[in-house]
Amino acid sequence: MTFHTQPHRRYLQEALKLAREAQAAGSSPVGAVLVDAGGEIVFRGRNRVGEPQSAEHVGDASVSHAEMDVFFQAGKLKNPESLTLYTSLEPCLMCGGASALLQLGRLVWATDDAWGGAGRLIAWADHPAMQETDVVPCPDADLEQEGAVLFAPEAKRAFPEEGWQLWQQRYPAETAGVD
């Protein structure tokens, strides 16, 4: 597989910026970017569950996750094995499954999702559809912390008590003081 060779940091920072935009617009703070083999960001997406639908973006639907926003914009992908999807938060089963079905070459996220992340239910490396995908969780510790602080209030609000407890266990400093 041929990927860009740029450090992950700038792309994860862009995903986190989009997550903050989603939060400001009333949606869950999750952002994503799709990067080609040359290191260019070709599509940007953010969670739009709490926003109205538009001609450009799927909104006001439970499938309006950041990764799906990217995929709906992209349409049919050319050379998906050379593309890298960067997300601010570990993808859920739907978005991780879509990444596998689209045959993306690499998937990188800033912050683990202790409750909603697909890895809680299916080991990424063991899933047959993900065998050709390079999965890179949390390559940058300070961006992981930034993402955890950003998403922690949403995790407390949206997840059941069991999910919030998993978040507190995974990110004790980042969840401390979240009301």
Side-chain angles (χ1 to χ4, degrees):
M1 289 183 259
T2 304
F3 305 117
H4 71 83
T5 57
Q6 302 296 314
H8 299 304
R9 185 174 182 83
R10 86 170 232 223
Y11 305 110
L12 291 171
Q13 286 173 319
E14 181 66 17
L16 286 162
K17 176 183 160 218
L18 290 161
R20 287 187 290 278
E21 287 179 16
Q23 185 179 48
S27 289
S28 296
V30 183
V33 295
L34 192 62
V35 178
D36 68 14
E40 295 298 317
I41 295 175
V42 291
F43 294 99
R44 289 171 168 79
R46 59 181 175 78
N47 189 297
R48 295 177 186 276
V49 171
E51 301 171 48
Q53 184 149 332
S54 71
E56 296 84 26
H57 300 283
V58 173
D60 196 28
S62 58
V63 298
S64 303
H65 292 192
E67 301 89 339
M68 301 307 283
D69 188 26
V70 165
F71 298 151
F72 285 126
Q73 289 176 63
K76 185 157 177 64
L77 298 174
K78 293 181 182 177
N79 303 315
E81 67 282 350
S82 70
L83 299 173
T84 303
L85 179 67
Y86 288 91
T87 68
S88 60
L89 188 69
E90 178 185 0
C92 68
L93 280 173
M94 175 182 67
C95 297
S99 299
L101 290 172
L102 292 169
Q103 300 177 328
L104 295 182
R106 185 166 54 183
L107 179 57
V108 183
W109 61 81
T111 305
D112 287 333
D113 185 347
W115 174 258
R120 182 176 73 86
L121 303 171
I122 299 172
W124 288 95
D126 294 341
H127 193 285
M130 295 299 284
Q131 294 306 301
E132 300 301 318
T133 302
D134 183 23
V135 177
V136 183
C138 312
D140 196 312
D142 68 313
L143 295 181
E144 179 180 11
Q145 179 184 23
E146 181 182 336
V149 167
L150 181 64
F151 194 80
E154 178 70 8
K156 181 171 171 92
R157 183 196 68 75
F159 296 158
E161 185 60 31
E162 177 187 1
W164 177 237
Q165 288 173 356
L166 289 173
W167 260 80
Q168 290 176 304
Q169 290 169 11
R170 176 69 178 91
Y171 294 111
E174 295 81 355
T175 57
V178 172
D179 295 328

